[in-house]
Amino acid sequence: MKRNIVIAVVTAAALVGGGTATALAVAGDDDDSTSVTRTDDDRDDRGEERSDDRDGDDDGAVRAAAPGDVTAAEAITAALKHTPGTAVSAELDDGSWEVDVLAEGDTWHTVRIAPDSGKVLGAQKDDEDDAAEVPAALKGASVTAEDAAKAAAAKGTVVSVDLDDDDGGDKGWEAETRASGGDARDWNVDPKTASVTPDRDDD
């Protein structure tokens, strides 16, 4: 009877503590029963380590493109071939290029492009309400997102291109590049001449 009670108590303690417990009852009469308990928390420790690794966000490793990968300009071309319209931004994020396209009927679409092959991974329609701002920002412009990406590529590996359409700001393209050492720089690309200048807000 005591042996059963010991095992039950040990099992309950293991469940409450979250660890792994092993109970060994030595056979004998009820008065001489002996119990040995070992608690093993290695599983939890390993789980915490794996969780910490997953939580680590190495932005440079995620977004920096390796030599030979699909460029920002190529990703934009592939996205527009799949979804015709005006490319407004392209960003290398979460293992793929994400290209935002303002298509016919002022509908927004996000097209995902594989960075190693240039294939379309998927596309979805987005609910955005700022379609009118794009033509206003590009009024008189001759430089497309693809052109801006090509121009900024002279400064490093382009990991993002975006149309700056904020009221009161300088209209044009913004690009982010990564040098071979991983250093990030922000650039402004003139929407009429494609000239590339350092972003004044870049520290």
Side-chain angles (χ1 to χ4, degrees):
M1 180 64 69
K2 288 183 180 179
R3 181 174 57 190
N4 294 337
I5 293 174
V6 169
I7 293 175
V9 170
V10 170
T11 302
L15 293 175
V16 172
T20 301
T22 302
L24 174 63
V26 179
D29 58 35
D30 291 344
D31 294 334
D32 296 331
S33 295
T34 305
S35 176
V36 178
T37 305
R38 186 187 71 226
T39 301
D40 186 359
D41 291 327
D42 290 345
R43 181 184 59 185
D44 290 24
D45 293 340
R46 290 194 300 270
E48 290 174 0
E49 292 173 1
R50 287 195 298 269
S51 177
D52 292 342
D53 292 340
R54 285 195 301 269
D55 293 339
D57 185 13
D58 186 354
D59 186 58
V62 172
R63 297 182 61 186
D69 284 350
V70 173
T71 66
E74 291 168 343
I76 293 170
T77 299
L80 292 177
K81 184 177 180 179
H82 180 273
T83 305
T86 301
V88 177
S89 69
E91 182 178 14
L92 184 58
D93 190 27
D94 292 334
S96 67
W97 283 104
E98 292 186 359
V99 183
D100 289 333
V101 178
L102 181 59
E104 185 178 355
D106 289 342
T107 58
W108 286 98
H109 300 263
T110 297
V111 185
R112 293 173 48 246
I113 305 296
D116 55 349
S117 64
K119 294 182 179 180
V120 176
L121 299 176
Q124 66 180 32
K125 185 177 178 180
D126 297 325
D127 295 327
E128 298 285 350
D129 57 3
D130 58 352
E133 298 178 7
V134 174
L138 291 177
K139 185 177 181 179
S142 58
V143 176
T144 65
E146 182 180 6
D147 296 332
K150 289 179 179 178
K155 304 297 184 179
T157 300
V158 178
V159 294
S160 71
V161 177
D162 187 44
L163 178 63
D164 183 5
D165 57 1
D166 292 336
D167 293 335
D170 296 330
K171 304 297 183 181
W173 297 101
E174 297 178 340
E176 180 182 351
T177 62
R178 297 271 174 167
S180 57
D183 294 334
R185 291 290 306 274
D186 293 327
W187 308 90
N188 292 322
V189 182
D190 191 281
K192 296 181 179 179
T193 65
S195 61
V196 181
T197 55
D199 191 334
R200 288 175 298 181
D201 296 329
D202 185 14
D203 295 331

